Amino acid sequence: MSGFLRLELGRSFRDLRYVVLAIAAPVGFYLLFAGIFAGRGASKGQLPAQVEIMVAMAAFGAMWGALSATAPRLARDRETGWLQALRVTPLRPRQILGARILAGVTVALPAIVAVAVTAVLAHHVRLEAWQWAAGISLLWAGTLPFVALGIAIGSLTGSTTAYAITTGLYFALAALGGLWVPPAQFSPALRDVAAALPSYRLADLGWHVAGGSPPLLSDGLILAAWTAGLAGMALTADAHRPRRGRPQSCEPSASDAVSLNEVSKSYGPVRALDKIGLHIGAGSTVALLGPNGAGKSTAIQLLLGLLEADHGSARLFGAIPGQATATGRVGAMLQDTNLMSGVRVGALLRVIRDAYPAPADLQPLIHMTGIGGLLRRQTDQLSVGESQRVRFALAAAGNPQLIVLDEPTVAMDVEAREAFWDVLRAYAAIGKTILFSTHYLDEADAHADRIILLRSGRIIADGSPSQIKAAAGTG
């Protein structure tokens, strides 16, 4: 989990929006408001205006840090299929969620510290050592409701919507929670609204400590209630997603790398697969060939444990799919999935590789996949062909015996496609089993030992490339 946490932190700290809204804006607003209200009485008894504003702006920045590290990033990872891709690695959902929570809390700290340091340097704010320690700690821990809010938003919306909602809530919670205007100046109705909001309760923890008083229990309880409620929303949204199966006792087969046994799958009235049965021996390269809608992707998702079959069963090396992927015996490249955004290729490769119990040697892997020149590049800056080579390196990072590729060359130009197949040929040459889907007959003919032809959810032909071409009348 520590590696994934580093990835999450890295992409947050490199995000210009984080720097502007979590650090620069709170510091700027502090300097503005503290200059305007310098020497005036404060709304919290004897608390100086600069101190009250310092706490409010620290809470303001911490809120954005927590929200920006969770909502838009989680939504984008869902939308681009990155979370789906992670399900065929040993990384468990709870590990990924834990890293997101820790990242959301961690990136809030620089905002709090930046405003506090500015207050000390610009206006000579002085507090006792225990007040600094307790105030910063409470403001930091109090960001948990905003992390939970971000995860709930990211679990329920798309990336564009998540960013818009996050930004709107950020400013609304700040305004209504008394971070810009002291709550004492609100009408009684607005004071009641503010008292119910986590933004006000977060700042109130800091105001009490800065005033030399112990924090209120009610502030902690209301923040805890917000955290629990928002976490419940996120868990409810996640509960409807399919889970990776638990390992079950079954006799592994020494000969079959892949087994689909009378598998059927329907989406409403549409039968995507109809009693599919196939067995693939170890050490072969097999193409799953068929037009769009033939059932290729459904078969691969069932095979990898990403979907549950209506009838029949799938086995990889005699084990259920979840067990095979968790132990690194199987690697996969899924269709319509992108790489994790905002991270360097080398860092991503190391994190995924380190998740496996017996990973591939790093330098030979980099050399074989031809990504040595891409390691310092951001994943967002890769071409289609480069991205596919990196995705293949991630799929091969666990040194799997079987690698599964769903339409791996779609959207590639001719040159990129040839370069990608050079990588695949090198991988097959060391005795690995490869199963790939395609709708190009020439691609299957050139690179597969065996072709399984799918149409309308059924296998209509199965044999060598020459046999399939002869049956199709193209040999």
Side-chain angles (χ1 to χ4, degrees):
M1 185 174 76
S2 61
F4 203 80
L5 173 61
R6 289 195 299 271
L7 291 178
E8 290 287 351
L9 291 175
R11 64 176 180 173
S12 288
F13 291 138
R14 284 191 292 268
D15 188 346
L16 181 61
R17 290 175 296 190
Y18 166 79
V19 175
V20 171
L21 292 174
I23 297 178
V27 167
F29 284 137
Y30 166 77
L31 293 171
L32 175 65
F33 295 148
I36 292 173
F37 295 106
R40 298 190 186 183
S43 62
K44 285 284 181 184
Q46 300 302 311
L47 197 63
Q50 290 92 339
V51 175
E52 182 179 10
I53 295 167
M54 175 188 72
V55 172
M57 290 301 102
F60 180 56
M63 281 168 44
W64 180 257
L67 287 168
S68 66
T70 48
R73 303 204 184 286
L74 174 56
R76 184 171 182 182
D77 287 348
R78 283 180 43 249
E79 200 170 63
T80 60
W82 173 243
L83 289 186
Q84 182 86 324
L86 287 176
R87 292 182 59 206
V88 290
T89 73
L91 288 168
R92 297 290 177 175
R94 63 177 178 273
Q95 294 175 303
I96 298 166
L97 177 61
R100 288 189 191 280
I101 292 171
L102 288 175
V105 173
T106 301
V107 299
L109 184 59
I112 299 169
V113 173
V115 174
V117 170
T118 301
V120 171
L121 296 178
H123 295 103
H124 309 291
V125 169
R126 295 289 182 266
L127 298 176
E128 297 291 335
W130 73 267
Q131 290 175 298
W132 284 118
I136 290 174
S137 298
L138 287 170
L139 286 174
W140 191 20
T143 57
L144 267 175
F146 304 99
V147 172
L149 175 60
I151 291 173
I153 293 170
S155 297
L156 294 167
T157 65
S159 57
T160 303
T161 304
Y163 184 74
I165 292 175
T166 298
T167 305
L169 284 175
Y170 174 52
F171 288 106
L173 287 170
L176 295 174
L179 303 187
W180 289 345
V181 177
Q185 299 182 25
F186 285 178
S187 67
L190 280 179
R191 280 199 296 272
D192 290 340
V193 171
L197 295 177
S199 48
Y200 170 80
R201 294 295 176 171
L202 176 62
D204 200 45
L205 288 172
W207 285 329
H208 276 84
V209 170
S213 303
L216 295 179
L217 178 62
S218 59
D219 288 336
L221 290 175
I222 290 175
L223 287 171
W226 273 97
T227 303
L230 292 166
M233 285 177 58
L235 289 173
T236 299
D238 193 57
H240 300 292
R241 299 192 179 103
R243 303 292 176 185
R244 181 161 57 187
R246 294 180 177 274
Q248 297 173 353
S249 174
C250 57
E251 239 2 87
S253 167
S255 57
D256 286 343
V258 173
S259 297
L260 286 178
N261 303 301
E262 297 298 307
V263 169
S264 296
K265 179 67 180 178
S266 297
Y267 300 99
V270 178
R271 180 64 66 94
L273 291 177
D274 189 7
K275 296 182 180 179
I276 290 289
L278 67 88
H279 301 273
I280 298 173
S284 57
T285 299
V286 178
L288 204 57
L289 176 66
N292 292 333
K296 304 185 302 295
S297 293
T298 299
I300 284 176
Q301 290 187 53
L302 286 167
L303 183 65
L304 296 172
L306 300 175
L307 287 176
E308 292 185 6
D310 298 333
H311 303 285
S313 63
R315 292 291 183 267
L316 298 172
F317 300 102
I320 65 166
Q323 185 179 24
T325 55
T327 57
R329 300 188 75 182
V330 178
M333 272 180 63
L334 304 177
Q335 189 181 14
D336 298 328
T337 60
N338 293 336
L339 295 166
M340 184 179 187
S341 64
V343 299
R344 287 192 173 91
V345 169
L348 180 60
L349 177 61
R350 285 189 292 272
V351 168
I352 298 300
R353 177 184 172 275
D354 289 347
Y356 288 95
D361 292 336
L362 184 59
Q363 290 307 316
L365 176 65
I366 291 170
H367 177 74
M368 180 188 68
T369 53
I371 62 170
L374 306 177
L375 297 179
R376 298 186 63 81
R377 296 262 298 275
Q378 296 285 329
T379 52
D380 311 79
Q381 299 169 347
L382 303 177
S383 68
V384 172
E386 290 169 342
S387 177
Q388 291 296 77
R389 293 208 309 274
V390 172
R391 290 176 61 213
F392 179 77
L394 297 181
N399 195 25
Q401 297 166 281
L402 164 69
I403 199 155
V404 181
L405 312 151
D406 191 5
E407 298 277 8
T409 60
V410 167
M412 285 190 190
D413 59 32
V414 174
E415 184 178 350
R417 187 175 297 170
E418 285 303 314
F420 182 79
W421 281 115
D422 286 343
V423 173
L424 264 292
R425 279 191 290 270
Y427 200 69
I430 59 176
K432 303 295 186 178
T433 307
I434 297 175
L435 171 63
F436 68 93
S437 68
T438 181
H439 55 267
Y440 301 120
L441 176 58
D442 58 341
E443 193 168 74
D445 178 37
H447 304 292
D449 309 320
R450 173 185 168 194
I451 298 175
I452 299 170
L453 185 58
L454 272 177
R455 184 173 296 161
S456 301
R458 295 183 176 183
I459 294 176
I460 61 170
D462 183 351
S464 67
S466 57
Q467 291 171 327
I468 296 299
K469 288 192 296 180
T474 60

